Amino acid sequence: MKGRVVIVGGGVAGMQTALSLKALGIESLILEQSRQLGGKLTGWHLLFPTFTPAQDVVAPLIRAVRQSGIQTRFGCKVVSVDSRRVILDSGERIDAAAVVLCSGSTLFNAKIKEEYGYGIYDNVFTSADIEQMMNNGKVAMADGRTPERIAILHCVGSRDEKVCQRHCSKVCCITAVKQAIELKKLFPDADVFNFYMDMRMFGPGYEELYRRAQIEHNIHFVRGRISEASPLMDSRVQIKAEDTLTGRPLRMSVDMLVLMVGMRANDDNAFISSSSGAELAENGFFKPRNSFMDNVLSTKEGIFLVGTISSPKTVGQTLNEASAAAIRIAEYLRYGN
Amino acid sequence: MATNFGFSISKPRVIDMDANNLRKSDDILASMPQLQSCIGCGACTASCTAGNLTSFNFRKVHTLVRRGEYTGVYEELNKCMLCGKCRLLCPRGINTRAAVMTIKRTLGDF
Ligand code: SF4
Ligand code: SF4
Ligand code: SF4
């Protein structure tokens, strides 16, 4: 065995993989592109469905990585990968006993759906903006006023041929329910409307939270996709949709429009795939070797997958995959498959 | 005398949430919060004898009420025979028959 296991990405997937490997006595090196550990979760406020602070997950992982002396390098942009080495943009080659891809996914850029006016109208926000505002302790309209009516739109950049994203991003429905409840708690007098195509409440406690959002928090759920948003004189936004359960078009003005942006495959996946030979699925995420028995294995021997690099998934599922991958890596290092 | 040329002006079908007043809807939901938990499955309508013989559709009617569209709802709900079959099926456990009465009472100003 030459070199250590190289982990590409220092979010929760990468950190937990390193920790699980360490517990099995296997050394690893985390290569992180940014200047800090934590990945996307760093910018998130509370996690569904339990309203657990994201920091309660991220901070202990960072602490554990530091305490266990796992080597981490920052500012590392990976340009090429195969099962024996990783090449950085500086030209440096790092030998690897195995490679774990933990570089996650990319939030859909809401500006591409121009009809919703993100980046054009002041009071259109994304789900990530709302998390940021919650973290900063101030959620408000662009001019600082308190919103009286909020619309939340599901499936922005997911399930949409128009933007080449056919897949369902899986976590945005439950995030929409979570954010609707949080907004309603902040603004009890506001009306909150969720516009959905399907409510995909797949996890434990999700459907129950949806029901509580309906009965206890009086959140309105309208089945229909908003077709467009237009600005009003007073910087509010008018939206149009079909209320498909009544079969009638529906129109209303809102103080805030929140777009639930989906997860899409990283642009980098293409060249990581072509250099390594690990195949991509049709949606650009990495393809597991077998979706029952070998979820954490790429189609290429020696290259492993953890977290949203292979498909949208929850934090809990990502952490479980990290432990599963560590065991499969240990087997690979010992028996070579 | 006006001549009838056979043309008429179509009334806009759009549900205008800015013009609609949700006060009565809010009253109904306050007295019956469970009605908000409807997931639009249509089991109530599928089982409804009235719905199988007429255009009556309980799911649609109560959803319209929740959008503040009250016109014609009372008359529509008169088609319900209060048999309670729908209530046996609702997967959210909504007392749909009671909802019919609650909506009628609120909109009919009894
Ligand atoms: S989880 Fe929900 S909001 Fe997200 S893409 Fe799937 S259906 Fe749309
Ligand atoms: S109670 Fe009314 S709505 Fe329900 S099944 Fe009977 S007739 Fe239909
Ligand atoms: S059966 Fe219940 S949940 Fe289904 S549409 Fe009727 S009221 Fe709604």
Side-chain angles (χ1 to χ4, degrees):
Chain A
M1 172 174 124
K2 193 156 182 264
R4 299 150 290 187
V5 174
V6 174
I7 296 171
V8 181
V12 292
M15 290 192 285
Q16 183 60 54
T17 304
L19 289 166
S20 299
L21 283 171
K22 183 88 182 177
L24 296 171
I26 299 168
E27 293 300 320
S28 64
L29 164 69
I30 300 177
L31 301 177
E32 167 58 38
Q33 193 170 342
S34 74
R35 296 273 150 212
Q36 58 177 19
L37 290 171
K40 265 190 211 68
L41 228 47
T42 310
W44 229 248
H45 182 54
L46 301 179
L47 303 179
F48 60 77
T50 47
F51 298 92
T52 304
Q55 274 312 309
D56 287 5
V57 175
V58 179
L61 283 174
I62 295 181
R63 215 176 305 127
V65 166
R66 290 210 180 110
Q67 280 167 2
S68 54
I70 292 162
Q71 267 206 44
T72 311
R73 287 180 53 184
F74 296 100
C76 290
K77 177 143 177 57
V78 170
V79 294
S80 171
V81 170
D82 68 45
S83 51
R84 289 275 166 256
R85 74 194 53 78
V86 168
I87 303 177
L88 304 182
D89 60 349
S90 60
E92 184 185 350
R93 302 162 80 89
I94 300 171
D95 284 336
V99 176
V100 197
L101 299 178
C102 299
S103 41
S105 54
T106 304
L107 280 182
F108 178 79
N109 177 2
K111 285 183 184 165
I112 295 171
K113 291 294 287 178
E114 217 177 340
E115 59 268 43
Y116 300 138
Y118 182 68
I120 306 173
Y121 315 143
D122 291 343
N123 285 307
V124 182
F125 305 88
T126 65
S127 39
D129 294 340
I130 296 296
E131 295 294 331
Q132 197 70 57
M133 288 162 118
M134 300 249 181
N135 264 342
N136 296 339
K138 171 120 181 102
V139 184
M141 295 171 65
D143 60 7
R145 273 185 300 147
T146 299
E148 282 164 21
R149 198 189 255 170
I150 302 168
I152 296 179
L153 174 60
H154 294 217
C155 300
V156 176
S158 307
R159 308 176 70 198
D160 187 357
E161 285 285 330
K162 291 283 188 291
V163 292
C164 308
Q165 305 295 330
R166 287 185 183 161
H167 64 276
C168 162
S169 292
K170 193 167 163 176
V171 297
C172 13
C173 271
I174 181 65
T175 302
V177 169
K178 181 203 74 134
Q179 290 193 350
I181 293 174
E182 289 176 295
L183 289 168
K184 188 76 186 185
K185 280 184 184 161
L186 279 174
F187 311 115
D189 293 332
D191 277 318
V192 180
F193 291 81
N194 282 45
F195 287 84
Y196 67 96
M197 304 205 283
D198 292 291
M199 291 298 289
R200 299 196 160 166
M201 301 284 110
F202 64 95
Y206 296 9
E207 184 71 23
E208 291 86 336
L209 190 68
Y210 169 31
R211 192 164 177 275
R212 287 218 307 275
Q214 293 175 306
I215 299 184
E216 290 168 24
H217 302 283
N218 312 108
I219 290 152
H220 305 270
F221 289 85
V222 183
R223 183 171 174 277
R225 187 174 176 91
I226 296 175
S227 63
E228 64 196 271
S230 30
L232 296 167
M233 293 287 278
D234 54 3
S235 89
R236 295 160 78 231
V237 182
Q238 192 194 55
I239 56 172
K240 286 181 187 169
E242 188 198 353
D243 181 0
T244 61
L245 292 177
T246 64
R248 302 247 313 258
L250 179 146
R251 181 172 67 204
M252 68 169 151
S253 41
V254 296
D255 298 320
M256 293 172 87
L257 171 62
V258 181
L259 309 175
M260 304 307 304
V261 285
M263 292 186 199
R264 68 171 188 84
N266 294 337
D267 292 333
D268 293 4
N269 287 5
F271 62 74
I272 293 184
S273 166
S274 58
S275 61
S276 64
E279 290 165 34
L280 299 181
E282 196 192 345
N283 60 10
F285 289 82
F286 275 89
K287 196 193 225 164
R289 197 173 299 171
N290 170 315
S291 35
F292 302 99
M293 309 294 284
D294 303 318
N295 266 309
V296 293
L297 272 54
S298 77
T299 59
K300 182 83 184 174
E301 207 161 279
I303 298 180
F304 297 81
L305 309 169
V306 173
T308 62
I309 189 81
S310 58
S311 69
K313 54 185 66 106
T314 67
V315 174
Q317 289 170 327
T318 295
L319 295 175
N320 288 348
E321 280 191 357
S323 308
I327 294 170
R328 299 301 295 266
I329 293 165
E331 288 170 3
Y332 168 74
L333 296 179
R334 188 171 302 167
Y335 307 112
N337 62 41
Chain B
M1 202 185 85
T3 314
N4 183 358
F5 291 105
F7 298 108
S8 62
I9 294 175
S10 306
K11 259 182 48 204
R13 287 187 71 247
V14 67
I15 299 175
D16 185 348
M17 294 298 283
D18 294 344
N20 287 1
N21 185 338
L22 291 183
R23 192 186 58 77
K24 284 184 177 176
S25 165
D26 288 343
D27 287 350
I28 291 165
L29 298 178
S31 71
M32 217 187 164
Q34 51 174 288
L35 191 55
Q36 295 170 107
S37 74
C38 173
I39 45 175
C41 71
C44 48
T45 304
S47 70
C48 174
T49 312
N52 275 287
L53 298 170
T54 71
S55 61
F56 176 57
N57 180 327
F58 173 69
R59 174 192 59 70
K60 196 162 157 183
V61 169
H62 91 76
T63 310
L64 281 168
V65 169
R66 289 169 55 197
R67 307 280 179 259
E69 294 279 324
Y70 310 123
T71 317
V73 164
Y74 185 87
E75 294 70 22
E76 197 60 21
L77 287 177
N78 278 340
K79 294 177 183 161
C80 164
M81 302 165 289
L82 298 175
C83 67
K85 238 157 95 184
C86 49
R87 188 190 172 185
L88 297 176
L89 290 154
C90 177
R92 287 294 216 195
I94 300 169
N95 185 345
T96 43
R97 179 170 57 177
V100 170
M101 289 312 292
T102 307
I103 296 170
K104 283 179 88 170
R105 221 172 317 171
T106 309
L107 297 185
D109 283 329
F110 281 114

